[in-house]
Structure formats: C-alpha cells, structure tokens
C-alpha cells in the first residue's frame, strides 16, 4: 500500500474517521491494528519479524529498568550491558540475515575464487522485508535510551508496539525517538481544523514532489543507468544531476506525506530534510539530509566512539566508521559502502584542508566569510554530492567502473542529444523547469515559511493555490507504472 496510491488515501481516511470517532482509551488499538494491516499489505508473514523486534526490545528495556534497582553498582552495569547486547544481537542478527547474508556470501565466493577454490556459499531466496532497517533502528534507539536513562521503560506493550509500527513512518521513516513520539500515544487528540489542514497540505506537497517531479526524472535517469556503456560524460552528468533531485524529491516527498498523515491524526513527527542542496559543506549537507538517520548515527555511534573530542586521527577514524556504517545501512552492495566511504573522505579532507583553503582564498583577495565564498561553497558541495550520488545509483561496481571511465574519457555530445530525443524534448524541458522550480521554492523558503504564507492568504486566494496544485498534480503527474519510493528498498 504505497503512499501515492488511491488505496492508501482510502485507508488514511478510514483511520482518521475511526480514530476521532472512538473513545480516547481505544484509539491506540485502532492505530496498532491499522499499522499492522498497512505493513501486512506488502507481505503478511514479515509482520512476525516486526513483532519479534518489538518484543525483544520491549523485554530488554524492562530488564534494564529492573536492573536499576540492584544495589551492587557493578552487577547493575553488567546486567544492563548484557540486556543491551541481547537486544543488539537479536535485532542486528535479523537485519544481517535478511539484508546482508547474500552480499557476504558473494564476497566470500569472490575471495575463494581468487584463492583457487571452487566452494560456493549458500544464498537466501527471500525478499527483503520492507522498512526493516527503519523499524529496527527505531526499536534499538529505544533500548539504548532506556539504558542511558533518557527515558523510562514503558510497561504498556501495545503502545510500545504502536511506537515501533506507527504506519505513517513505518517503512521509510523518519526514524523517531521514543522521547518524542512514545508519550504522544498517551495524549488526548481532538479534531483540530488547523492541524488537519496543515497535514493535508503537506501530503499534497509530498505527492507533487514524488509523482510530478521524482517519477518524471526517473525516466531519464533509468534510461542512462540501464545502458551505462552507451553514453558519454555530458549524458552521465545530466542523468546524475537529475538523480540528485529525483532521490531528494522522492524521499523528502515520502517524509512530507508521512508527517502530514501523522498530522491529520494529531501526531507530530520530526522534520527529515532542510534544503540540503544549499549546504556550504559536506558536514552541513549531512545535518540537512535524512536528519533522523544522520542524528541517529551521531547519537548512537559517533558520540560513543568519541566524536570530535579526541585526536584528529581518532576523529577521522570515527568519521569513516560512521559513514561506512551509513553506506552499509543503505544497501547490501559494495557500491553503497563506496558511497559512504567517499562521503566520509569528503568530511575528513574538508577538515584537514580548511586552513589551507582559507589562506588560498585570502591570497586571491576573497573573504572566506563573504558571499562569494559562500556561493562557491554551495556550488562545490553540490558538485561533490552529485559525484557521490553516481556511486549510490550504480547497480554494481563493474557498472560504476564503466561509467567513471567514460566520464573522464568520453566527452562527446552526440549521446546526450540522442538521450534527449529518446526521452522527448518537451519532457526534458519540463524536467528542467521542475528542477529549477524546486530550487527556487527552497531558496525562497530560507527566510520565510511558504506554507504558513499560503495559509495567511485570503480565502479565495488560498483555495486558488490548492486547486492549482491539484490541477498540476493531476495533469502532469506520472501515474503509469509509477515506481515505489526509492527508500523502500532499504
């Protein structure tokens, strides 16, 4: 039941009506049942994995809470660590089995072949459970929060199960923290026109990003990446820039629909994107892109490793570990690991070369803090990010090798014109206008909330905006074989 389908909106309408019609004490039951139904629409059997992860982290948190009552400090710490380890091993074991086993098996086969051996590791013929990386990280975050004493373990299994499985953000985030979301299931939510209007408008904006922009750009991107050896550098650059906006509009569109869906029910989810392509450094980009995952790795991996409060060499190691883990989280393929490593290397190189770059700019008469410098920083950060997206989008390392070779050696324009003819010139023009429109709106939104500005318009003007957006969505949206959200595969 994908967010961009009619079925989902029938489901959401039923959930909203039922939620506000039920007594407050029973609403969590409807949300929990609806969330599991929503998940089971993909594969009913995998709901057992969701339930297993929920049960393990729930029990581990209760045991950690109970261990706090032990008088012996050393015994208390040992038990708490054992329960956290149990939760980590069980949940990461599930993730490893379903997501990474085939990748490890293929790597072992390659190593054995190099050694002259013909042994072959067994493969699993299973589908990757949708959303598994998201709900496992959310559940593990809860266990660690209880271990640290940031939250108390909840005794209500049903509401905790709802926290892990809440349908708006179950399959692709945002990855919520227990301190932000869990207590909201105890709040009384009454129908509120203002919050419901804001939620519905955010859903509309998310649909426009997905169906109008991302799915249209996907046509050109897929055409180039399916036939990687047939194009030159200009076509690769155009396709990868298009992919940068495709993945942004696809994923931020999902997040908008998730936040809006929760909003019409009275729940508040965190913001997951903050105009990332206007970042002035790679570090800033990662503070603006997929904020819930970046902050998760920061709080649960980067800080425990020592963060930045250590030597420069140790900081560089910590950074690389975090980005390698982030790359591996995104997918069971070495292209994702390479993508994570490249982003980590960007960050490390940026820190170690900052002084030299500032001196060079001063020598050229450019103020390191001036507008020219800031504009150049945005352009360079975007270029580095786009290059990294090529690693992310490539299907295999061999395909990536072909594309990188041709990127630096084949600079003919003929394949670009052929691509434009294949896609359709008017479609390409519309794609360019949509990308420029996204950039223009995000630039305008730096200093004012455009959504709030729409709501402050007179009634007639406000409805004119709503109807215009709906008209554009219906008229220009890509509905034929509309692809699923990119982050569903993670």
């Amino acid at each position: 039941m994908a967010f961009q389908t009619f079925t989902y909106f029938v489901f959401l309408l039923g959930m909203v009506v039922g939620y506000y019609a039920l007594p407050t004490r029973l609403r969590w039951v409807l949300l929990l049942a609806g969330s599991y139904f929503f998940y089971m629409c993909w594969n009913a059997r995998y709901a057992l994995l969701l339930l297993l992860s929920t049960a393990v982290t729930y029990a581990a948190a209760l045991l950690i809470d109970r261990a706090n009552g032990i008088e012996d400090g050393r015994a208390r710490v040992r038990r708490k660590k054992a329960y956290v380890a149990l939760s980590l091993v069980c949940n990461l074991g599930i993730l490893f089995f379903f997501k990474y086993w085939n990748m490890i098996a293929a790597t072992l086969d390659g190593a054995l072949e190099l050694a002259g051996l013909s042994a072959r590791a067994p493969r699993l013929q299973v589908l990757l459970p949708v959303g598994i990386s998201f709900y496992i990280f959310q559940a593990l975050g809860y266990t660690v929060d209880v271990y640290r004493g940031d939250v108390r373990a909840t005794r209500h299994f049903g509401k905790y199960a709802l926290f892990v499985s809440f349908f708006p953000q179950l399959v692709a985030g945002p990855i919520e923290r227990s301190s932000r979301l869990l207590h909201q299931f105890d709040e009384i939510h009454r129908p509120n026109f203002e919050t419901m209007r804001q939620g519905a408008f955010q859903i509309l904006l998310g649909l426009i990003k997905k169906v109008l922009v991302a799915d249209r750009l996907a046509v050109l991107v897929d055409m180039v990446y399916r036939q990687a050896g047939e194009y030159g550098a200009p076509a690769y650059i155009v396709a990868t820039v298009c992919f940068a906006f495709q993945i942004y509009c696809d994923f931020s569109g999902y997040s908008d629909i998730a936040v809006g869906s929760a909003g019409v029910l009275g729940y508040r989810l965190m913001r997951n994107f903050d105009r990332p392509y206007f970042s002035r450094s790679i570090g800033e980009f990662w503070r603006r892109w997929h904020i819930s995952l970046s902050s998760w790795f920061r709080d649960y991996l980067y800080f425990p490793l020592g963060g930045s409060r250590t030597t420069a060499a140790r900081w560089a190691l910590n950074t690389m570990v975090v980005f390698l883990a982030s790359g591996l989280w995104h997918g069971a393929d070495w292209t994702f690991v390479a993508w994570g490593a490249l982003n980590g290397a960007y960050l490390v190189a940026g820190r170690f070369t900052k002084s030299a770059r500032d001196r060079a700019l001063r020598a050229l008469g450019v103020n390191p803090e001036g507008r020219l410098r800031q504009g150049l920083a945005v352009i360079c950060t975007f270029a580095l990010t786009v290059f990294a997206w090529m690693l992310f989008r490539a299907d295999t390392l061999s395909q990536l090798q072909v594309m990188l070779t041709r990127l630096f050696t084949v600079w003919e324009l003929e394949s670009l014109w052929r691509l434009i003819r294949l896609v359709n010139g008017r479609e390409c023009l519309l794609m360019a206008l949509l990308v420029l429109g996204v950039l223009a709106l995000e630039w305008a939104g730096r200093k004012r909330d455009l959504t709030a500005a729409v709501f402050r318009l007179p009634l007639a003007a406000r409805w004119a905006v709503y109807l215009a957006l709906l008209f554009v969505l219906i008229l220009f949206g890509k509905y034929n074989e509309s692809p699923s959200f990119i982050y569903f595969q993670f």
Side-chain angles (χ1 to χ4, degrees):
M1 192 190 302
F3 273 0
Q4 74 273 37
T5 61
F6 178 74
T7 306
Y8 172 74
F9 290 102
V10 173
F11 166 77
L12 179 61
L13 179 61
M15 293 297 291
V16 171
V17 172
Y19 181 81
Y20 288 116
L22 283 172
T24 301
R25 69 179 188 279
L26 297 178
R27 288 175 175 176
W28 70 268
V29 178
L30 173 68
L31 289 180
L32 180 60
S35 296
Y36 267 80
F37 170 78
F38 174 79
Y39 191 75
M40 291 168 69
C41 286
W42 275 284
N43 189 313
R45 292 173 296 178
Y46 284 162
L48 294 174
L49 290 177
L50 175 61
L51 182 60
L52 175 61
S53 176
T54 301
V56 168
T57 50
Y58 171 79
L62 285 181
L63 291 170
I64 291 168
D65 220 27
R66 185 178 300 173
N68 287 328
I70 298 175
E71 293 183 3
D72 186 341
R74 287 176 296 182
R76 178 170 64 248
V77 171
R78 283 197 303 271
R79 289 195 182 188
K80 289 172 64 174
K81 286 184 176 179
Y83 299 143
V84 169
L86 173 66
S87 179
L88 288 170
V89 168
C90 288
N91 281 276
L92 295 181
I94 293 171
L95 195 59
F96 174 84
F97 181 79
F98 282 93
K99 189 170 182 176
Y100 300 111
W101 173 258
N102 287 346
M103 173 188 171
I104 299 301
T107 304
L108 286 173
D109 287 348
L112 290 171
E113 186 177 338
L114 288 175
L117 301 175
S118 59
R120 180 176 171 82
R123 301 294 199 276
L124 296 175
Q125 301 300 320
V126 295
L127 292 173
L128 178 67
V130 66
I132 187 170
S133 298
F134 288 91
Y135 70 70
I136 281 184
F137 267 39
Q138 184 155 313
L140 286 178
Y142 166 74
T143 305
V144 177
D145 286 343
V146 173
Y147 171 78
R148 292 175 174 174
D150 296 335
V151 296
R152 291 293 305 276
T154 180
R155 266 60 181 171
H156 199 300
F157 179 76
K159 290 183 180 179
Y160 174 69
L162 176 57
F163 161 72
V164 178
S165 65
F166 190 40
F167 74 88
Q169 44 89 223
L170 171 60
V171 295
I175 302 172
E176 280 291 348
R177 307 296 179 85
S178 53
S179 58
R180 280 182 48 88
L181 181 59
L182 191 53
H183 69 88
Q184 293 187 50
F185 299 121
D186 293 322
E187 296 175 354
I188 297 174
H189 298 135
R190 294 184 174 88
N192 183 292
F193 174 75
E194 186 62 28
T195 57
M196 294 179 77
R197 179 178 67 165
Q198 291 175 0
F201 189 65
Q202 194 157 7
I203 290 172
L204 176 59
L205 294 179
L207 283 172
I208 289 173
K209 286 182 180 179
K210 167 62 177 172
V211 179
L212 180 63
V213 184
D215 289 351
R216 175 164 271 100
L217 294 173
V219 174
L220 185 149
V221 173
D222 292 346
M223 194 172 292
V224 172
Y225 277 83
R226 273 199 307 265
Q227 300 171 318
E230 298 186 11
Y231 294 94
Y236 292 139
I237 292 170
V238 169
T240 309
V241 169
C242 285
F243 177 69
F245 287 96
Q246 178 201 349
I247 193 171
Y248 171 62
C249 291
D250 189 282
F251 194 20
S252 68
Y254 175 93
S255 297
D256 285 340
I257 299 172
V259 172
S261 298
V264 297
L265 292 164
Y267 293 91
R268 304 171 300 280
L269 299 182
M270 70 181 296
R271 184 179 186 181
N272 216 14
F273 292 88
D274 182 17
R275 298 180 296 278
Y277 290 141
F278 288 104
S279 302
R280 292 163 294 183
S281 68
I282 294 297
E284 184 181 347
F285 174 82
W286 283 106
R287 291 191 294 273
R288 292 168 172 258
W289 177 276
H290 199 177
I291 298 169
S292 63
L293 179 66
S294 298
S295 61
W296 197 97
F297 274 114
R298 179 197 65 203
D299 295 342
Y300 299 118
L301 183 58
Y302 179 68
F303 286 162
L305 288 173
S308 59
R309 296 183 178 181
T310 182
T311 64
R314 180 57 189 268
W315 169 83
L317 177 61
N318 295 344
T319 300
M320 292 304 300
V321 168
V322 168
F323 275 94
L324 287 169
S326 176
L328 196 58
W329 179 92
H330 278 85
D333 198 290
W334 290 108
T335 54
F336 293 108
V337 177
W339 171 76
L342 179 59
N343 277 283
Y346 283 161
L347 214 62
V348 171
R351 173 170 172 174
F352 289 148
T353 63
K354 186 178 186 307
S355 297
R357 286 183 286 117
D358 287 346
R359 286 196 302 270
L361 287 171
R362 289 192 183 95
L364 294 171
V366 178
N367 180 2
E369 303 302 325
R371 289 187 178 182
L372 176 60
R373 163 68 173 78
Q374 301 304 319
L376 290 172
V378 170
I379 294 170
C380 289
T381 301
F382 179 73
L384 292 172
T385 304
V386 167
F387 181 76
W389 282 132
M390 183 177 284
L391 280 66
F392 187 97
R393 178 58 180 82
D395 295 323
T396 62
L397 287 175
S398 58
Q399 183 196 62
L400 177 62
Q401 182 181 10
V402 169
M403 294 185 70
L404 290 177
T405 301
R406 295 180 67 84
L407 178 66
F408 292 106
T409 60
V410 183
W411 278 90
E412 47 82 22
L413 289 170
E414 181 182 349
S415 61
L416 176 60
W417 304 136
R418 186 172 74 250
L419 173 66
I420 292 172
R421 289 194 298 271
L422 287 171
V423 174
N424 182 302
R426 284 178 295 182
E427 273 291 295
C428 290
L429 178 60
L430 181 56
M431 290 179 197
L433 291 174
L434 289 171
V435 167
L436 291 174
V438 169
L439 288 173
L441 288 173
E442 299 227 325
W443 177 263
R446 291 176 308 124
K447 296 182 178 179
R448 60 182 304 192
D449 186 339
L450 297 181
T451 299
V454 170
F455 292 153
R456 286 195 297 268
L457 292 172
L459 181 63
R462 190 164 64 243
W463 273 99
V465 172
Y466 299 157
L467 293 175
L469 291 175
L470 280 170
F471 177 77
V472 169
L473 180 64
I474 293 170
L475 187 63
F476 295 104
K478 297 286 287 187
Y479 295 102
N480 295 331
E481 299 180 3
S482 181
S484 64
F485 289 88
I486 293 173
Y487 267 68
F488 277 17
Q489 63 185 293
F490 306 139

